[in-house]
Amino acid sequence: MLEDLYGRVVTNLRIAVTQRCNLRCIYCHREGEKDSGKEIDAERIAEIAKVFHELGVKKLKITGGEPLLRRDICEVISSLPEFEEVSMTTNGTLLSNRAMDLKESGLDRVNVSLDTLNAEKYRYITEKGELKAVLEGIESAVEAKLTPLKLNMVLMKGINEDEVFEMLEFANSFNKNETNVILQLIELIPNSKTARYYLNPEIFEEKFEKMAKAIKIRDMHRRKQFLTSLGVVEIVKPLDNSDFCRHCNRIRVTSDGKIKLCLMSEKTLDLSGLHGEELKRAIFEAVKLRKPFFT
Ligand code: SAM
């Protein structure tokens, strides 16, 4: 079992498979990576994932950059060991042609980043993205049963705060007999350029609390999921030191094959050249270095 010195057991692995992206979102943290220009191949991703799987990791999330820019993305997925869940975070622009292949390769579900339903705002946020392509991608993903699909909406003051309920209804429009689509409202991690867009999601949390028929608290980051008459919404508060950091069971691997202990920390450990027992030992050592970022 991978347990750090704060009693947090690592059960989730997030692997960035590329740093390349076809959008330029105004707020993007790039998963905290600096682009080295190197991408590990499908075989190496599988080798690293297998060791984490043997050490008790249950869920794997593929991210980027934009993971669908990798031509071998289906090979990456089909080479993975049998995790309880393999999911992907994507901007959805390239999803419509690939959803079925991804499902057949072994992908269980997707998160699609969608901050607005307004095409003009979408273009502003992403610099050049076409909303239509994302909406088609979401439909294809639901058809291919890459569900429950989560819509990742980063909350931004003056940009999309007026769309939260509309987005919840949009997500719910896919839920006929089962919950296929959930809204995930994400607190913006601001930097000097985006600080002006920061809005604490608590104001929505309070509203959802009043509206909710049921509230589920997830192990991961103690995230609250509200079941409301408008749909299901989960709130993600990465700046919340008490719950998010104290209950973080996630570790990261960068697109160039390094362990990254935390999104907010610069610290990485290079795994290159390590295999078998050596690789396992390096992962154990890395986990011992994890600490809640806000301590
Ligand atoms: N290209 C893929 C996508 O768009 O989903 C995967 C990479 S993207 C960095 C992963 C997720 O991080 C997206 O849902 C995005 O909205 C979120 N994200 C990026 N920058 C963020 C920030 N500054 N604050 C909060 N969430 C952020």
Side-chain angles (χ1 to χ4, degrees), residues 14 21 25 27-31 63-67 89-92 111-113 115 152 154 186-190 194 238:
R14 190 169 173 109
C21 193
C25 298
Y27 54 76
C28 189
H29 53 39
R30 300 170 60 84
E31 300 282 343
T63 182
E66 175 45 46
T89 299
T90 168
N91 61 35
N111 285 26
V112 178
S113 299
D115 301 319
N152 283 5
V154 177
I186 304 175
E187 178 179 26
L188 173 72
I189 302 171
T194 56

Side-chain angles (χ1 to χ4, degrees), residues 29-34 252 260 263 265-266:
H29 53 39
R30 300 170 60 84
E31 300 282 343
E33 269 197 57
K34 298 206 171 60
R252 295 163 174 266
K260 186 167 166 64
L263 170 65
S265 151
E266 297 272 300

Side-chain angles (χ1 to χ4, degrees), residues 108-127:
D108 294 303
R109 48 168 227 89
V110 285
N111 285 26
V112 178
S113 299
L114 182 66
D115 301 319
T116 176
L117 291 169
N118 175 304
E120 218 170 289
K121 275 198 221 173
Y122 186 78
R123 233 170 283 126
Y124 171 73
I125 295 167
T126 60
E127 270 194 12

